[in-house]
Amino acid sequence: LPRHPVCIMMTAYGNVETAVEAMKRGAFDFLTKPLNLEKLELLIRRGLREKSLERENTRLRERIEQKVTFTDIVGKSGSLTEVLKQVKLVAPSRATILIEGETGTGKELIAQSIHRLSPRAKRPFVPVNCAALAPTLLESELFGHEKGAFTGASEKRVGRFEAADGGTLFLDEIGEVDASTQVKLLRFLEQRTFERLGGLKPISVDLRLVTATNRNLDEMVRKGTFREDLFYRLNVVRLRMPPLRERTADIPMLLDHFIDHYSRENGIPPVEIDPEAMRILLAYRWPGNIRELRNFAENIVIMRRGLRITADDLDPKFSRAAPPEPPAESGNTGEEETPRTLRVEANEKNLLRDALVETRGNRTEAARLLGISRRTLHRKLAQWPEVDVKP
């Protein structure tokens, strides 16, 4: 950020016109002789404090503007791109949204993106993990309670619904909500009002409800463990987050992103993954999805510290999942007929070239588009100069 100095003007020939002109030109204050050193010291302190606040406000605005994009979501696979297109379409609306997907696929990131791209972006985003709270606590957590509503309720408490007024309430693991809380959620969606526990006065709030689950709500409705009428109220817009095994093309990008992040966070050199190790990682099914991949990246950054990761360095669970290298067919022209999806190096080269073509050779924009650091991009281009595109 530019650091413009704090300017205090001092003169022996001060008048109103001069003072006004000095302030118009950016002076923080205007002093006349004889100079009062105590007053000058106070002005300097106040000026530096205000300049510091101004810089902090600028940083916060830049962070808010940055978050309005999908900078936290890494990947270019077709299935992810389709979800992000849907997010852009539904975010400006008031519709209730249900996000489905396995654990660790990034459902909360999608909910945050919906909030940031909506007219409610400047209001609160309030997440609640419904599975982390016992049913008796969840109702109080969501709707609040009045003093004396139950044993231990020594004072009134505002719940998450009131805290999210004007913004977005994100209920993760909605499939874990018990029957009595389901009734209250249904009433809110129908009437947009609720009561605190122990209260009789209806409370009205204006919020956007986004829910997520890793369970099959259709099956739960059929079994009678989830209310059908509530399901229809929640299922106005339905988004499905693809598991990582359905977006393997994003794995090299995600690994680069997490390795770069944890390397910078710990102040140590990033590790490199050789093509054979990457082939094995691409074949693994990642049951924990992106959360498991992120933990893997942090582990190798901390434990290997800048070394090159080979197939021998990987946990045996990865190797057991990897198919053998396809053999070259007899009678061919001498070139190995390896499917393109298994040729990690070729995939990376194609991604790099596509990004550089799309950004007309702008390396900063290409790195942003790929979700990697500029340093990583330069390292790849030094390795494969043939894919570079000049601006």
Side-chain angles (χ1 to χ4, degrees):
L1 294 171
R3 293 178 173 267
H4 300 299
V6 177
C7 298
I8 300 173
M9 183 172 179
M10 181 186 67
T11 178
Y13 305 99
N15 54 48
V16 175
E17 290 78 11
T18 307
V20 170
E21 183 63 24
M23 302 298 275
K24 281 183 179 179
R25 296 191 178 210
F28 179 73
D29 214 322
F30 184 92
L31 296 175
T32 57
K33 290 184 178 180
L35 188 63
N36 183 324
L37 293 179
E38 289 184 2
K39 183 178 180 181
L40 176 61
E41 186 177 352
L42 286 173
L43 279 176
I44 291 171
R45 287 178 179 173
R46 197 177 76 192
L48 292 174
R49 185 169 62 250
E50 290 193 15
K51 186 60 67 175
S52 176
L53 288 172
E54 181 184 321
R55 285 197 296 269
E56 185 62 25
N57 285 338
T58 302
R59 289 193 193 98
L60 288 172
R61 281 196 300 271
E62 288 177 350
R63 285 174 62 187
I64 290 170
E65 289 169 2
Q66 184 183 34
K67 286 182 177 180
V68 170
T69 66
F70 294 119
T71 50
D72 294 332
I73 301 173
V74 177
K76 289 185 65 180
S77 62
S79 54
L80 179 64
T81 301
E82 185 59 33
V83 173
L84 299 185
K85 285 180 182 177
Q86 293 173 347
V87 167
K88 287 181 179 179
L89 285 174
V90 303
S93 73
R94 297 174 62 89
T96 302
I97 296 172
L98 173 63
I99 307 171
E100 295 180 310
E102 297 175 10
T103 298
T105 51
K107 297 186 292 294
E108 185 166 347
L109 275 180
I110 290 297
Q112 290 172 351
S113 297
I114 290 169
H115 175 71
R116 291 167 184 167
L117 292 169
S118 77
R120 301 173 183 269
K122 294 184 180 180
R123 302 294 294 166
F125 174 83
V126 180
V128 182
N129 188 335
C130 299
L133 296 167
T136 52
L137 294 176
L138 179 61
E139 193 172 349
S140 173
E141 187 71 23
L142 292 178
F143 303 107
H145 62 253
E146 299 290 351
K147 182 179 179 180
F150 51 85
T151 304
S154 56
E155 58 184 19
K156 181 180 76 174
R157 179 178 180 181
V158 171
R160 299 294 183 94
F161 269 79
E162 288 177 84
D165 191 16
T168 302
L169 178 65
F170 174 56
L171 301 182
D172 197 7
E173 306 300 350
I174 191 68
E176 307 300 325
V177 172
D178 69 309
S180 64
T181 307
Q182 288 181 34
V183 172
K184 283 202 165 187
L185 283 173
L186 177 62
R187 181 178 177 183
F188 171 77
L189 289 169
E190 290 177 339
Q191 302 178 7
R192 292 288 160 175
T193 62
F194 65 93
E195 293 96 31
R196 298 192 191 104
L197 283 177
L200 299 174
K201 180 183 176 182
I203 299 171
S204 178
V205 292
D206 172 30
L207 58 82
R208 189 346 158 34
L209 186 63
V210 179
T211 61
T213 183
N214 63 358
R215 301 183 66 180
N216 187 331
L217 291 188
D218 298 272
E219 184 63 26
M220 291 180 69
V221 168
R222 283 192 291 271
K223 290 180 178 178
T225 55
F226 199 87
R227 292 183 65 102
E228 185 176 20
D229 45 7
L230 176 58
F231 173 68
Y232 290 136
R233 286 287 184 177
L234 297 176
N235 191 26
V236 177
V237 175
R238 198 170 189 170
L239 303 178
R240 177 186 176 270
M241 282 301 295
L244 194 55
R245 62 182 174 274
E246 292 181 12
R247 40 181 294 215
T248 53
D250 291 336
I251 289 176
M253 240 188 288
L254 284 162
L255 281 171
D256 256 344
H257 172 76
F258 289 131
I259 287 171
D260 186 69
H261 170 78
Y262 289 118
S263 298
R264 285 188 285 106
E265 187 178 79
N266 292 281
I268 54 182
V271 298
E272 290 190 4
I273 301 175
D274 77 6
E276 174 60 16
M278 184 64 81
R279 184 186 71 82
I280 293 171
L281 294 173
L282 286 171
Y284 181 61
R285 289 184 64 80
W286 299 101
N289 292 295
I290 296 173
R291 187 177 293 125
E292 183 182 3
L293 183 76
R294 183 182 63 208
N295 292 343
F296 165 76
E298 184 175 15
N299 177 272
I300 61 173
V301 166
I302 300 298
M303 302 303 294
R304 304 297 295 172
R305 293 181 174 263
L307 298 177
R308 187 175 178 84
I309 304 297
T310 67
D312 293 335
D313 298 318
L314 298 177
D315 188 288
K317 71 175 183 180
F318 296 111
S319 300
R320 285 195 295 268
E325 283 280 4
E329 294 181 9
S330 58
N332 64 11
T333 57
E335 292 186 7
E336 185 179 357
E337 295 293 333
T338 305
R340 180 178 173 185
T341 53
L342 294 181
R343 297 192 57 186
V344 177
E345 185 172 304
N347 282 340
E348 285 196 71
K349 286 182 178 180
N350 286 328
L351 283 171
L352 281 172
R353 186 183 293 107
D354 290 347
L356 287 164
V357 168
E358 187 168 332
T359 60
R360 298 181 181 179
N362 186 319
R363 295 186 176 186
T364 301
E365 284 299 307
R368 185 191 62 77
L369 194 62
L370 291 167
I372 61 177
S373 68
R374 187 178 167 88
R375 183 180 64 193
T376 300
L377 181 72
H378 278 292
R379 190 172 71 243
K380 297 291 185 184
L381 291 177
Q383 185 180 355
W384 305 313
E386 67 273 15
V387 306
D388 200 3
V389 174
K390 302 301 179 184

